[in-house]
Amino acid sequence: MNNGGVTRASLDKQPHEVAAMFDDVAAKYDLTNDVLSLGQARLWRKEVARAVNARPGEKVLDLAAGTGTSSMPFTAAGAYVVPCDFSVGMLSEGKKRHPWLPLTAGDATRLPFADDVFDAVTISFGLRNVQETDTALREMLRVTKPGGRVVICEFSQPTWAPFRTVYTEYLMRALPPVARVVSSSPDAYVYLAESIRAWPDQPALAARLQGAGWAKVAWRNLTGGVVALHRGVKLPG
């Protein structure tokens, strides 16, 4: 089913369609996220930075980095960060704002990096928009150094049933009209809302990480499970 040229949500996403969608929303993406998350997006970014715990001299790969906003805490910590995204529109907007960042175009399922390069790999609110989730998780493992870590921040399932019902209603009823006011491409946010509903819950994503080869997999809920931070380590050998 099509809505304004954007394929309605399923987990069978076509990369060119998703890339085009993010190209359309690039200019107002960060502002829109702050509004739609009721200000929580900034808190979530801080929690990601704390979980990654980037140190001076480390190499950090920030996937689905968009305009590079998510990469700023890692540079502030003294790490060398590579923001990577497959939306050229997002990267172009990021280059205007942060011309010094090494913004890189890349597909999470075919990362343009050598094996064992990064001390940490992170992706926030982007994994569910990758067509082949398991392939992306294996690629993240490939480019991570032995002993390195992954941090995934993604929408998940609220743990309290009454709140889960309210949250689902917000996603499907309140989010689209709000998006029409603040976003340059509101249809994209209808797609995003539906993709959140279709995404695996916390234990299911943890199992996918383990299946891809990550060890010491754990997660922590944020905002009552609206968002979950999943972590894993690449074992040596």
Side-chain angles (χ1 to χ4, degrees):
M1 181 177 175
N2 243 348
N3 181 31
V6 176
T7 299
R8 296 298 290 272
S10 73
L11 295 183
D12 300 321
K13 295 166 286 290
Q14 296 302 309
H16 69 279
E17 293 174 330
V18 180
M21 179 184 75
F22 281 103
D23 288 348
D24 287 343
V25 301
K28 295 183 179 178
Y29 185 71
D30 294 322
L31 170 64
T32 305
N33 281 350
D34 280 340
V35 172
L36 295 179
S37 70
L38 308 179
Q40 292 294 294
R42 297 183 187 197
L43 168 67
W44 297 335
R45 279 197 291 270
K46 288 180 182 177
E47 292 300 326
V48 170
R50 188 175 290 123
V52 172
N53 190 26
R55 294 182 283 276
E58 285 193 325
K59 295 185 179 71
V60 176
L61 174 60
D62 185 17
L63 291 173
T67 60
T69 299
S70 60
S71 300
M72 301 313 291
F74 310 128
T75 62
Y80 176 79
V81 60
V82 178
C84 182
D85 201 288
F86 73 165
S87 164
V88 175
M90 282 285 203
L91 294 169
S92 297
E93 184 67 25
K95 205 65 181 174
K96 294 177 194 171
R97 302 181 193 181
H98 316 295
W100 64 91
L101 284 176
L103 293 144
T104 303
D107 182 341
T109 64
R110 295 187 301 276
L111 291 173
F113 308 107
D115 297 354
D116 305 331
V117 171
F118 295 98
D119 298 284
V121 177
T122 184
I123 182 168
S124 294
F125 308 111
L127 189 60
R128 75 181 191 287
N129 296 315
V130 177
Q131 189 177 33
E132 298 170 12
T133 305
D134 297 326
T135 302
L137 292 174
R138 288 193 297 270
E139 274 290 273
M140 292 180 210
L141 186 74
R142 178 184 67 78
V143 302
T144 301
K145 293 177 182 177
R149 57 209 185 272
V150 67
V151 174
I152 296 170
C153 183
E154 188 53 89
F155 290 108
S156 199
Q157 297 295 319
T159 52
W160 189 44
F163 176 58
R164 187 160 56 240
T165 302
V166 171
Y167 172 65
T168 302
E169 288 294 306
Y170 169 72
L171 277 178
M172 302 316 300
R173 297 190 182 202
L175 191 150
V178 172
R180 276 193 288 276
V181 174
V182 298
S183 173
S184 51
S185 182
D187 286 341
Y189 284 88
V190 175
Y191 165 90
L192 289 172
E194 293 181 337
S195 73
I196 291 168
R197 285 208 310 179
W199 184 246
D201 65 9
Q202 292 90 325
L205 181 54
R208 304 276 286 265
L209 274 158
Q210 290 168 330
W214 291 98
K216 301 180 181 177
V217 173
W219 74 83
R220 181 162 63 91
N221 290 317
L222 304 177
T223 318
V226 169
V227 165
L229 277 182
H230 282 72
R231 302 180 304 283
V233 174
K234 179 174 179 177
L235 293 180

